[in-house]
């Protein structure tokens, strides 16, 4: 049976120099356990360890994986596999096996420079936790939370006086800054994910009329400047419901958007999008599209 791999599963080749001592975990005290079964008639709960005590049987590989994620989470710029093995007290083979598994499950990401950072599944679990405790009450709160979790800039856009326009922005520290994408920006709908998602809600003849009036000027060498090319692009992305542009508005920047609300009139239609480095949109597309669909469901009642 052929082993399935995802991008980032390959073992690291280079071993950068670093310094540092292995991380020492504080010893946990374990209460004395009597060598007998619970007395007859005792509560069933007394047969199990309390929330404060350490279980008598634990899966070591799970503990090791959690230690790795804790270590990686403390380094925003990523950590190399040799350093992970050293600081977590693991041999290289064990460390690589755990790293491959965590990358495959999207709890870690392996970058081209060989460093590992936390993956989108971590932010998904955090998002689920915060929703369970207290969900956001406004669209702005949702956008701030998502930008904080992912590090990506988030946007809301809608039709304003018949033109797709940005109406809300929260910048994320991992997204390249794009000066034009500010509140009120209403140009280049054919080159942005926000614009594409809104244009996709129009009937073909209305879309053609808009493009003829607004024009399709090139922002980069990747910008689609022909109506037929844009129609094909919208049809392809329309199958998933998540629209994207990859370096069509700004070099090195990608953007993905989803329709949050559709309506009979243009001004009722609302789109949510995120901007991120171009390389990241390519490597995290499946997880990103699911995250955007989930975001649309959560945002709709807040708008």
């Amino acid at each position: 049976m052929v082993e399935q791999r995802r991008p980032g599963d390959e073992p690291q080749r280079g071993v950068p120099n670093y310094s540092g001592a292995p991380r020492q975990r504080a010893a946990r005290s374990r209460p004395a356990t009597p060598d007998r079964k619970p007395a007859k008639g005792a509560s069933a709960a007394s047969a199990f360890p309390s929330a404060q005590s350490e279980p008598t049987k634990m899966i070591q590989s799970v503990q090791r994986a959690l230690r790795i994620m804790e270590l990686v989470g403390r380094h925003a710029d990523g950590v190399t596999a040799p350093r992970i093995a050293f600081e977590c007290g693991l041999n290289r083979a064990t460390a690589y096996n755990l790293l491959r598994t965590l990358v495959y499950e999207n709890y870690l990401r392996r970058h081209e420079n060989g460093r590992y950072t936390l993956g989108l599944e971590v932010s998904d679990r955090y998002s689920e936790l915060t929703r369970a405790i207290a969900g956001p009450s406004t669209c702005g709160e949702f956008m701030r939370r998502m930008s904080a979790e992912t590090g990506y800039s988030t946007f809301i856009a809608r039709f304003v006086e018949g033109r797709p326009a940005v109406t809300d922005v929260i910048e994320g520290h991992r997204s390249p800054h794009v000066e034009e994408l500010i509140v009120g920006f209403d140009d280049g709908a054919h080159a942005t994910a926000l614009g594409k998602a809104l244009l996709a809600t129009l009937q073909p003849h209305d879309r053609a009329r808009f493009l003829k009036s607004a024009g399709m000027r090139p922002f980069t060498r990747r910008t689609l400047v022909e109506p037929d090319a844009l129609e094909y692009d919208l049809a392809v992305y329309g199958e998933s419901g998540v629209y994207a542009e990859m370096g069509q508005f700004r070099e090195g920047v990608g953007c993905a958007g989803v329709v949050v609300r559709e309506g009979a009139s243009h001004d009722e239609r609302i789109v949510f999008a995120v901007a991120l480095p171009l390389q990241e949109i390519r490597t995290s597309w499946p997880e990103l599209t699911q995250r955007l669909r989930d975001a649309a469901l959560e945002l709709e009642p807040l708008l």
Side-chain angles (χ1 to χ4, degrees):
M1 182 175 181
V2 179
E3 181 185 1
Q4 294 184 351
R5 292 190 177 184
R6 292 187 179 182
D9 289 349
E10 299 80 4
Q12 178 184 343
R13 296 178 180 177
V15 183
N17 293 325
Y18 62 88
S19 61
R23 174 170 168 246
Q24 300 294 329
R25 296 184 59 80
R28 297 180 182 176
S29 60
R30 178 181 297 179
T33 304
D35 294 329
R36 66 177 184 273
K37 296 182 180 179
K40 186 175 182 179
S43 168
S46 65
F48 297 91
S50 69
Q52 302 300 320
S53 63
E54 185 178 89
T56 55
K57 292 184 178 180
M58 293 185 290
I59 306 302
Q60 197 172 49
S61 59
V62 175
Q63 288 183 296
R64 290 169 172 171
L66 292 173
R67 298 298 85 76
I68 288 175
M69 292 180 62
E70 290 173 1
L71 172 64
V72 173
R74 293 196 299 271
H75 297 270
D77 296 331
V79 193
T80 63
R83 182 170 181 179
I84 290 171
F86 178 70
E87 294 207 13
C88 292
L90 305 173
N91 62 52
R92 295 288 182 88
T94 299
Y96 279 123
N97 287 336
L98 289 169
L99 288 169
R100 276 194 292 268
T101 302
L102 290 169
V103 168
Y104 180 83
E105 296 295 339
N106 297 308
Y107 282 92
L108 290 183
R109 295 187 60 210
R110 184 181 186 277
H111 298 269
E112 290 184 349
N113 62 4
R115 291 178 175 269
Y116 291 84
T117 59
L118 293 179
L120 290 178
E121 286 293 333
V122 176
S123 61
D124 285 345
R125 300 294 80 75
Y126 175 75
S127 177
E128 291 164 359
L129 174 62
T130 54
R131 281 200 299 269
I133 296 173
S137 59
T138 67
C139 174
E141 288 178 10
F142 174 87
M143 293 174 67
R144 284 189 290 274
R145 190 192 73 191
M146 187 161 180
S147 289
E149 291 173 2
T150 64
Y152 300 149
S153 297
T154 55
F155 304 84
I156 292 288
R158 64 185 75 202
F159 284 105
V160 178
E161 296 182 355
R163 296 177 65 86
V166 176
T167 58
D168 205 351
V169 179
I170 299 293
E171 291 204 23
H173 68 278
R174 291 174 59 190
S175 295
H177 176 66
V178 181
E179 293 181 357
E180 293 89 340
L181 290 181
I182 59 175
V183 173
F185 178 76
D186 64 353
D187 192 14
H190 62 290
T192 67
L194 292 162
K196 288 181 181 183
L198 285 171
L199 290 177
T201 68
L202 299 177
Q203 293 296 321
H205 60 276
D206 290 330
R207 189 160 52 242
R209 187 183 306 116
F210 171 83
L211 292 172
K212 183 176 180 180
S213 172
M216 298 179 68
R217 72 182 180 91
F219 288 88
T220 72
R221 58 187 177 84
R222 297 184 177 89
T223 305
L224 303 178
V225 295
E226 296 294 336
D228 288 345
L230 180 62
E231 287 296 321
Y232 178 78
D233 189 76
L234 296 182
V236 170
Y237 285 119
E239 293 181 0
S240 67
V242 179
Y243 299 85
E245 62 85 8
M246 300 190 184
Q248 296 174 19
F249 184 71
R250 279 293 175 270
E251 294 287 353
V253 182
C255 188
V258 62
V259 177
V260 175
R261 176 184 293 173
E262 296 193 46
S265 62
H266 293 172
D267 57 3
E268 295 176 349
R269 301 169 189 178
I270 300 174
V271 165
F272 174 74
V274 296
L276 58 162
L278 185 58
Q279 185 58 36
E280 292 192 24
I281 195 173
R282 289 171 172 162
T283 57
S284 63
W285 181 250
E287 298 80 17
L288 182 62
T289 54
Q290 186 58 52
R291 185 70 183 269
L292 285 170
R293 293 191 194 100
D294 292 342
L297 293 175
E298 189 171 353
L299 264 175
E300 200 278 334
L302 304 178
L303 295 168

